[in-house]
Amino acid sequence: MTRIELINAIFERMDVVWGEEGFDGEAQEYDWLLANYGITDEEDVMWMLILQHGMDDLESEDRDDEDLMTFLENEQAVVGFLESFLQKYQSADTVYPR
């Protein structure tokens, strides 16, 4: 899958897991996400950074981080991360309890 296809697949899966209310990034949501899908808050932050980079909307402190920029500009590394992230989101059928 391409980067765009992976991003779209992740959004589709997130819609199922988080419902209409979505993911707010609250501590209890991160705890639940880790317990049910094995996704860490660091992985979720990286996911958001990938999206921001794609929209050319990174904060200046992120643009100044050489290691981060090297990762974000490496298509193979980003696609590998997105594949792993999607696999984790597909690893269970649990829906966040509202």
Side-chain angles (χ1 to χ4, degrees):
M1 293 177 99
T2 67
R3 178 193 294 230
I4 297 299
E5 290 170 332
L6 287 163
I7 288 171
N8 288 336
I10 292 166
F11 275 130
E12 287 175 19
R13 188 69 191 131
M14 289 176 81
D15 285 345
V16 171
V17 171
W18 296 105
E20 287 183 25
E21 294 177 21
F23 177 73
D24 291 326
E26 299 293 326
Q28 73 256 17
E29 291 175 326
Y30 274 119
D31 291 344
W32 182 90
L33 187 59
L34 181 60
N36 289 277
Y37 287 92
I39 296 173
T40 66
D41 54 339
E42 292 86 2
E43 289 170 317
D44 187 63
V45 167
M46 186 59 71
W47 154 250
M48 291 184 282
L49 289 168
I50 289 169
L51 295 177
Q52 290 170 344
H53 180 257
M55 296 182 297
D56 197 30
D57 192 31
L58 283 175
E59 300 288 327
S60 61
E61 66 187 49
D62 293 326
R63 286 192 300 270
D64 292 340
D65 183 331
E66 289 184 36
D67 291 336
L68 175 62
M69 291 308 296
T70 297
F71 169 77
L72 292 173
E73 293 172 356
N74 181 328
E75 186 69 15
Q76 185 176 356
V78 170
V79 166
F81 173 85
L82 293 172
E83 288 171 340
S84 173
F85 197 66
L86 177 59
Q87 266 185 335
K88 287 184 176 189
Y89 257 113
Q90 292 174 330
S91 68
D93 291 324
T94 308
V95 174
Y96 187 72
R98 300 277 177 194

